[in-house]
Amino acid sequence: MSDTTDQGQVADAVKGNWVDRLAPTPARPFLRLSRADRPIGTWLLLLPCWWGLLLAVAATGFRPADIWIAAGCAIGAFLMRGAGCTWNDVSDRDIDGAVARTRSRPIPSGQVSVRGALVWMVAQALVSFVILLTFHPTAIALGVLSLLPVAVYPFAKRFTWWPQVFLGLAFNWGALLAWAAHTGSLGWPPVLLYLGGIAWTLFYDTIYAYQDVEDDALIGVKSTARRFGDRPRPWLRGFAAATVALAAAAVLTALPPLPAMVALLGVWAMGWHMAWQLSRLEIDDPATCLRLFRANRETGLILLPFLAVAAAL
């Protein structure tokens, strides 16, 4: 039986999403390429941006331009996640066609040609670049540099058991960029926050990868899920602990005692949410893995109000 419905819906998309219900029919395949029907990836790309911005505001004070930085990061996260996913689908079109969960994506299912996908990718990247040009020159340079891990990530699963590291390098770059957009420079706090975000990505994307371990083994694709086998919990606990420790170190190096104490409460709450996910993980149940992966939006959102309060002190 095909994984694609008569309307071209993707198998692992959120049911009843706005793309499948409301978007103009000709636009739907391209929006599916951008994963607009699966918004969790945009959140996971955006949240480190907002962490970095709020930590910078808490460290150095609010500026009116920060409102645009926050909005620009949100628009840019949507567009660059779309461009990155389009590039991923172009690069993985043969692999996606061999995996049950992904063969309904627009390229392997025939909804979009490779040429059309490449044009769509460039269009999204160009609009993102226009937004990037409104930021500080240091942030612009970082934004251009971020294209390197984005370009490499789709191929990482072909040569390493740790492709999630490359995803983490790309998905958490916003912590550096947003800090630089506010301050005009880098330092230890955003670097530590960035490293904490990479550990977080290793946590949530390993859970995600357990959906595909059987298909990945058949076609020879590597992942941390395949590397860890039926004993992922010690690794996942380590990734969660590293996330908390590095985020706490970022807070402590950036903020004075009272704001730091407030922000550390948020870091602790974020760690608690990751522990909650571990308590419910069933690696042999793809639906549970997908649900817990999506729960990481809440994991990242938990930290934001604590950083906002710290910035207001």
Side-chain angles (χ1 to χ4, degrees):
M1 182 180 293
S2 172
D3 289 300
T4 311
T5 70
D6 292 339
Q7 293 77 34
Q9 295 170 343
V10 179
D12 61 351
V14 177
K15 303 306 179 186
N17 66 81
W18 73 273
V19 173
D20 294 338
R21 292 186 298 107
L22 302 174
T25 300
R28 289 178 185 177
F30 295 95
L31 291 170
R32 290 169 184 145
L33 263 181
S34 298
R35 310 286 199 274
D37 53 349
R38 283 156 285 172
I40 179 59
T42 299
W43 280 108
L44 296 175
L45 186 61
L46 172 60
L47 287 167
C49 300
W50 282 353
W51 294 349
L53 176 60
L54 282 173
L55 187 62
V57 171
T60 64
F62 173 77
R63 302 167 188 172
D66 294 330
I67 297 174
W68 167 243
I69 294 172
C73 284
I75 300 168
F78 177 82
L79 291 169
M80 283 308 297
R81 189 259 182 143
C85 288
T86 303
W87 171 242
N88 184 80
D89 282 10
V90 169
S91 304
D92 282 355
R93 57 191 183 275
D94 294 330
I95 293 174
D96 285 347
V99 176
R101 184 180 58 82
T102 58
R103 66 170 61 107
S104 57
R105 288 178 176 175
I107 295 177
S109 66
Q111 297 178 58
V112 179
S113 68
V114 172
R115 181 176 180 179
L118 290 172
V119 171
W120 177 239
M121 178 189 73
V122 171
Q124 294 172 96
L126 286 175
V127 176
S128 298
F129 184 64
V130 171
I131 295 172
L132 182 66
L133 290 176
T134 67
F135 291 170
H136 189 278
T138 303
I140 295 173
L142 285 167
V144 173
L145 191 59
S146 72
L147 295 177
L148 180 59
V150 171
V152 171
Y153 167 66
F155 304 100
K157 55 182 164 288
R158 294 165 169 83
F159 62 81
T160 177
W161 291 105
W162 297 83
Q164 281 71 23
V165 171
F166 289 86
L167 182 67
L169 290 170
F171 256 57
N172 296 281
W173 201 269
L176 303 174
L177 192 150
W179 175 282
H182 173 88
T183 66
S185 64
L186 286 178
W188 277 113
V191 170
L192 291 167
L193 192 63
Y194 176 58
L195 294 174
I198 293 172
W200 180 43
T201 301
L202 280 162
F203 176 87
Y204 66 65
D205 205 59
T206 296
I207 293 174
Y208 183 80
Y210 270 100
Q211 297 176 91
D212 299 328
V213 285
E214 292 184 4
D215 285 333
D216 287 350
L218 287 173
I219 61 179
V221 169
K222 299 177 180 179
S223 71
T224 48
R226 287 193 62 206
R227 171 68 178 79
F228 303 155
D230 60 359
R231 288 182 50 80
R233 279 180 168 78
W235 288 96
L236 293 173
R237 290 190 194 101
F239 298 149
T243 302
V244 171
L246 289 162
V251 166
L252 291 170
T253 55
L255 305 181
L258 182 57
M261 186 178 301
V262 173
L264 287 173
L265 289 174
V267 173
W268 175 86
M270 183 178 171
W272 177 88
H273 196 268
M274 296 170 79
W276 170 83
Q277 291 180 56
L278 271 176
S279 72
R280 284 156 177 77
L281 178 61
E282 298 177 25
I283 61 173
D284 296 323
D285 183 356
T288 296
C289 291
L290 181 59
R291 177 173 59 84
L292 292 176
F293 166 73
R294 288 174 175 167
N296 280 276
R297 183 189 69 166
E298 283 67 47
T299 307
L301 284 170
I302 285 170
L303 183 57
L304 292 180
F306 292 91
L307 288 174
V309 171
L313 293 176

